[in-house]
mmCIF file with all atom_site columns, all heavy atoms in Angstrom:
data_model
loop_
_atom_site.group_PDB
_atom_site.id
_atom_site.type_symbol
_atom_site.label_atom_id
_atom_site.label_alt_id
_atom_site.label_comp_id
_atom_site.label_asym_id
_atom_site.label_entity_id
_atom_site.label_seq_id
_atom_site.pdbx_PDB_ins_code
_atom_site.Cartn_x
_atom_site.Cartn_y
_atom_site.Cartn_z
_atom_site.occupancy
_atom_site.B_iso_or_equiv
_atom_site.pdbx_formal_charge
_atom_site.auth_seq_id
_atom_site.auth_comp_id
_atom_site.auth_asym_id
_atom_site.auth_atom_id
_atom_site.pdbx_PDB_model_num
ATOM 1   N N   . GLY D 1 477 ? 49.764 112.216 87.683 1.00 96.00 ? 477 GLY D N   1
ATOM 2   C CA  . GLY D 1 477 ? 50.042 110.739 87.692 1.00 96.00 ? 477 GLY D CA  1
ATOM 3   C C   . GLY D 1 477 ? 50.259 110.226 86.266 1.00 96.00 ? 477 GLY D C   1
ATOM 4   O O   . GLY D 1 477 ? 50.493 109.037 86.157 1.00 96.00 ? 477 GLY D O   1
ATOM 5   N N   . MET D 1 478 ? 50.235 111.185 85.250 1.00 97.00 ? 478 MET D N   1
ATOM 6   C CA  . MET D 1 478 ? 50.409 110.690 83.914 1.00 97.00 ? 478 MET D CA  1
ATOM 7   C C   . MET D 1 478 ? 51.423 111.635 83.163 1.00 97.00 ? 478 MET D C   1
ATOM 8   O O   . MET D 1 478 ? 51.531 112.845 83.493 1.00 97.00 ? 478 MET D O   1
ATOM 9   C CB  . MET D 1 478 ? 49.064 110.669 83.150 1.00 97.00 ? 478 MET D CB  1
ATOM 10  C CG  . MET D 1 478 ? 48.177 109.637 83.526 1.00 97.00 ? 478 MET D CG  1
ATOM 11  S SD  . MET D 1 478 ? 46.724 109.496 82.446 1.00 97.00 ? 478 MET D SD  1
ATOM 12  C CE  . MET D 1 478 ? 45.528 110.246 83.552 1.00 97.00 ? 478 MET D CE  1
ATOM 13  N N   . TYR D 1 479 ? 52.016 111.094 82.176 1.00 98.00 ? 479 TYR D N   1
ATOM 14  C CA  . TYR D 1 479 ? 52.868 111.971 81.339 1.00 98.00 ? 479 TYR D CA  1
ATOM 15  C C   . TYR D 1 479 ? 51.956 112.386 80.129 1.00 98.00 ? 479 TYR D C   1
ATOM 16  O O   . TYR D 1 479 ? 51.277 111.539 79.498 1.00 98.00 ? 479 TYR D O   1
ATOM 17  C CB  . TYR D 1 479 ? 54.015 111.055 80.646 1.00 98.00 ? 479 TYR D CB  1
ATOM 18  C CG  . TYR D 1 479 ? 54.700 111.688 79.405 1.00 98.00 ? 479 TYR D CG  1
ATOM 19  C CD1 . TYR D 1 479 ? 55.665 112.594 79.628 1.00 98.00 ? 479 TYR D CD1 1
ATOM 20  C CD2 . TYR D 1 479 ? 54.271 111.408 78.155 1.00 98.00 ? 479 TYR D CD2 1
ATOM 21  C CE1 . TYR D 1 479 ? 56.325 113.242 78.539 1.00 98.00 ? 479 TYR D CE1 1
ATOM 22  C CE2 . TYR D 1 479 ? 54.800 112.036 77.065 1.00 98.00 ? 479 TYR D CE2 1
ATOM 23  C CZ  . TYR D 1 479 ? 55.818 112.929 77.269 1.00 98.00 ? 479 TYR D CZ  1
ATOM 24  O OH  . TYR D 1 479 ? 56.376 113.547 76.208 1.00 98.00 ? 479 TYR D OH  1
ATOM 25  N N   . PHE D 1 480 ? 51.855 113.690 79.961 1.00 98.00 ? 480 PHE D N   1
ATOM 26  C CA  . PHE D 1 480 ? 50.934 114.246 78.918 1.00 98.00 ? 480 PHE D CA  1
ATOM 27  C C   . PHE D 1 480 ? 51.770 114.501 77.655 1.00 98.00 ? 480 PHE D C   1
ATOM 28  O O   . PHE D 1 480 ? 52.779 115.312 77.791 1.00 98.00 ? 480 PHE D O   1
ATOM 29  C CB  . PHE D 1 480 ? 50.268 115.499 79.429 1.00 98.00 ? 480 PHE D CB  1
ATOM 30  C CG  . PHE D 1 480 ? 49.434 116.135 78.376 1.00 98.00 ? 480 PHE D CG  1
ATOM 31  C CD1 . PHE D 1 480 ? 48.571 115.431 77.560 1.00 98.00 ? 480 PHE D CD1 1
ATOM 32  C CD2 . PHE D 1 480 ? 49.389 117.584 78.307 1.00 98.00 ? 480 PHE D CD2 1
ATOM 33  C CE1 . PHE D 1 480 ? 47.794 116.100 76.600 1.00 98.00 ? 480 PHE D CE1 1
ATOM 34  C CE2 . PHE D 1 480 ? 48.572 118.170 77.348 1.00 98.00 ? 480 PHE D CE2 1
ATOM 35  C CZ  . PHE D 1 480 ? 47.872 117.474 76.468 1.00 98.00 ? 480 PHE D CZ  1
ATOM 36  N N   . THR D 1 481 ? 51.335 114.073 76.534 1.00 98.00 ? 481 THR D N   1
ATOM 37  C CA  . THR D 1 481 ? 52.107 114.226 75.281 1.00 98.00 ? 481 THR D CA  1
ATOM 38  C C   . THR D 1 481 ? 51.885 115.491 74.597 1.00 98.00 ? 481 THR D C   1
ATOM 39  O O   . THR D 1 481 ? 52.708 115.949 73.741 1.00 98.00 ? 481 THR D O   1
ATOM 40  C CB  . THR D 1 481 ? 51.674 113.139 74.288 1.00 98.00 ? 481 THR D CB  1
ATOM 41  O OG1 . THR D 1 481 ? 50.236 113.325 73.987 1.00 98.00 ? 481 THR D OG1 1
ATOM 42  C CG2 . THR D 1 481 ? 51.809 111.725 74.839 1.00 98.00 ? 481 THR D CG2 1
ATOM 43  N N   . GLY D 1 482 ? 50.715 116.191 74.808 1.00 97.00 ? 482 GLY D N   1
ATOM 44  C CA  . GLY D 1 482 ? 50.380 117.373 74.112 1.00 97.00 ? 482 GLY D CA  1
ATOM 45  C C   . GLY D 1 482 ? 49.659 117.036 72.752 1.00 97.00 ? 482 GLY D C   1
ATOM 46  O O   . GLY D 1 482 ? 49.321 118.021 72.075 1.00 97.00 ? 482 GLY D O   1
ATOM 47  N N   . ASP D 1 483 ? 49.463 115.820 72.538 1.00 97.00 ? 483 ASP D N   1
ATOM 48  C CA  . ASP D 1 483 ? 48.773 115.417 71.289 1.00 97.00 ? 483 ASP D CA  1
ATOM 49  C C   . ASP D 1 483 ? 47.404 114.935 71.450 1.00 97.00 ? 483 ASP D C   1
ATOM 50  O O   . ASP D 1 483 ? 47.041 114.397 72.604 1.00 97.00 ? 483 ASP D O   1
ATOM 51  C CB  . ASP D 1 483 ? 49.557 114.259 70.606 1.00 97.00 ? 483 ASP D CB  1
ATOM 52  C CG  . ASP D 1 483 ? 50.749 114.729 69.792 1.00 97.00 ? 483 ASP D CG  1
ATOM 53  O OD1 . ASP D 1 483 ? 50.611 115.809 69.078 1.00 97.00 ? 483 ASP D OD1 1
ATOM 54  O OD2 . ASP D 1 483 ? 51.798 114.081 69.933 1.00 97.00 ? 483 ASP D OD2 1
ATOM 55  N N   . GLY D 1 484 ? 46.539 115.132 70.637 1.00 97.00 ? 484 GLY D N   1
ATOM 56  C CA  . GLY D 1 484 ? 45.233 114.586 70.581 1.00 97.00 ? 484 GLY D CA  1
ATOM 57  C C   . GLY D 1 484 ? 45.264 113.291 69.716 1.00 97.00 ? 484 GLY D C   1
ATOM 58  O O   . GLY D 1 484 ? 46.146 113.103 68.854 1.00 97.00 ? 484 GLY D O   1
ATOM 59  N N   . CYS D 1 485 ? 44.366 112.405 70.017 1.00 97.00 ? 485 CYS D N   1
ATOM 60  C CA  . CYS D 1 485 ? 44.280 111.092 69.230 1.00 97.00 ? 485 CYS D CA  1
ATOM 61  C C   . CYS D 1 485 ? 42.939 110.443 69.348 1.00 97.00 ? 485 CYS D C   1
ATOM 62  O O   . CYS D 1 485 ? 42.134 110.795 70.109 1.00 97.00 ? 485 CYS D O   1
ATOM 63  C CB  . CYS D 1 485 ? 45.361 110.251 69.736 1.00 97.00 ? 485 CYS D CB  1
ATOM 64  S SG  . CYS D 1 485 ? 45.052 109.260 71.149 1.00 97.00 ? 485 CYS D SG  1
ATOM 65  N N   . LEU D 1 486 ? 42.783 109.502 68.463 1.00 97.00 ? 486 LEU D N   1
ATOM 66  C CA  . LEU D 1 486 ? 41.579 108.676 68.526 1.00 97.00 ? 486 LEU D CA  1
ATOM 67  C C   . LEU D 1 486 ? 42.036 107.187 68.575 1.00 97.00 ? 486 LEU D C   1
ATOM 68  O O   . LEU D 1 486 ? 43.068 106.806 68.037 1.00 97.00 ? 486 LEU D O   1
ATOM 69  C CB  . LEU D 1 486 ? 40.604 108.965 67.427 1.00 97.00 ? 486 LEU D CB  1
ATOM 70  C CG  . LEU D 1 486 ? 41.002 108.763 66.008 1.00 97.00 ? 486 LEU D CG  1
ATOM 71  C CD1 . LEU D 1 486 ? 40.720 107.290 65.614 1.00 97.00 ? 486 LEU D CD1 1
ATOM 72  C CD2 . LEU D 1 486 ? 40.100 109.621 65.102 1.00 97.00 ? 486 LEU D CD2 1
ATOM 73  N N   . ARG D 1 487 ? 41.166 106.353 69.193 1.00 98.00 ? 487 ARG D N   1
ATOM 74  C CA  . ARG D 1 487 ? 41.409 104.964 69.170 1.00 98.00 ? 487 ARG D CA  1
ATOM 75  C C   . ARG D 1 487 ? 40.261 104.378 68.546 1.00 98.00 ? 487 ARG D C   1
ATOM 76  O O   . ARG D 1 487 ? 39.078 104.547 68.964 1.00 98.00 ? 487 ARG D O   1
ATOM 77  C CB  . ARG D 1 487 ? 41.559 104.453 70.694 1.00 98.00 ? 487 ARG D CB  1
ATOM 78  C CG  . ARG D 1 487 ? 42.004 103.005 70.829 1.00 98.00 ? 487 ARG D CG  1
ATOM 79  C CD  . ARG D 1 487 ? 42.388 102.701 72.194 1.00 98.00 ? 487 ARG D CD  1
ATOM 80  N NE  . ARG D 1 487 ? 41.427 103.142 73.209 1.00 98.00 ? 487 ARG D NE  1
ATOM 81  C CZ  . ARG D 1 487 ? 41.773 103.571 74.427 1.00 98.00 ? 487 ARG D CZ  1
ATOM 82  N NH1 . ARG D 1 487 ? 43.023 103.808 74.770 1.00 98.00 ? 487 ARG D NH1 1
ATOM 83  N NH2 . ARG D 1 487 ? 40.776 103.943 75.239 1.00 98.00 ? 487 ARG D NH2 1
ATOM 84  N N   . ASP D 1 488 ? 40.411 103.674 67.415 1.00 98.00 ? 488 ASP D N   1
ATOM 85  C CA  . ASP D 1 488 ? 39.191 103.173 66.729 1.00 98.00 ? 488 ASP D CA  1
ATOM 86  C C   . ASP D 1 488 ? 38.740 101.904 67.248 1.00 98.00 ? 488 ASP D C   1
ATOM 87  O O   . ASP D 1 488 ? 39.174 101.429 68.240 1.00 98.00 ? 488 ASP D O   1
ATOM 88  C CB  . ASP D 1 488 ? 39.592 103.084 65.145 1.00 98.00 ? 488 ASP D CB  1
ATOM 89  C CG  . ASP D 1 488 ? 40.471 101.872 64.839 1.00 98.00 ? 488 ASP D CG  1
ATOM 90  O OD1 . ASP D 1 488 ? 40.794 101.081 65.738 1.00 98.00 ? 488 ASP D OD1 1
ATOM 91  O OD2 . ASP D 1 488 ? 40.765 101.688 63.642 1.00 98.00 ? 488 ASP D OD2 1
ATOM 92  N N   . GLU D 1 489 ? 37.762 101.313 66.518 1.00 97.00 ? 489 GLU D N   1
ATOM 93  C CA  . GLU D 1 489 ? 37.102 100.105 67.057 1.00 97.00 ? 489 GLU D CA  1
ATOM 94  C C   . GLU D 1 489 ? 38.044 99.023  67.191 1.00 97.00 ? 489 GLU D C   1
ATOM 95  O O   . GLU D 1 489 ? 37.775 98.060  67.993 1.00 97.00 ? 489 GLU D O   1
ATOM 96  C CB  . GLU D 1 489 ? 35.974 99.682  66.052 1.00 97.00 ? 489 GLU D CB  1
ATOM 97  C CG  . GLU D 1 489 ? 34.758 100.722 65.973 1.00 97.00 ? 489 GLU D CG  1
ATOM 98  C CD  . GLU D 1 489 ? 34.137 100.971 67.376 1.00 97.00 ? 489 GLU D CD  1
ATOM 99  O OE1 . GLU D 1 489 ? 34.231 100.082 68.219 1.00 97.00 ? 489 GLU D OE1 1
ATOM 100 O OE2 . GLU D 1 489 ? 33.569 102.066 67.512 1.00 97.00 ? 489 GLU D OE2 1
#
Side-chain angles (χ1 to χ4, degrees):
M478 286 186 255
Y479 165 85
F480 177 41
T481 63
D483 279 316
C485 81
L486 63 84
R487 187 167 50 217
D488 75 358
E489 295 302 338

